[in-house]
Amino acid sequence: MSCEDLVCAGCAHPVAEGRCPLCRANRERMHHHGLGGMTPALVSLALIALFFLTLALEHLSGA
């Protein structure tokens, strides 16, 4: 679910517009998740990069 699909109970406008403090707070809460505010896609990309870096280091060291 995204904030584009939600309607605020306080102002009756889409949460994505952020017209009232409640909308803005909920929009920020929905968009900050994962490790340290990172999205799951960024976390998985970092893990893949770490994996390939480990493979390259092993190849270069001759192990």
Side-chain angles (χ1 to χ4, degrees):
M1 180 183 301
S2 67
C3 59
E4 287 85 16
D5 300 326
L6 299 176
V7 175
C8 179
C11 67
H13 287 93
V15 172
E17 292 178 5
R19 291 188 180 194
C20 73
L22 184 61
C23 289
R24 289 188 289 275
N26 282 322
R27 183 179 60 191
E28 289 299 316
R29 184 181 53 86
M30 290 183 74
H31 287 272
H32 287 92
H33 54 283
L35 299 174
M38 294 176 63
T39 63
L42 284 176
V43 172
S44 57
L45 181 63
L47 288 174
I48 291 170
L50 183 63
F51 174 72
F52 282 114
L53 179 64
T54 305
L55 286 177
L57 288 174
E58 281 185 13
H59 179 70
L60 290 175
S61 68

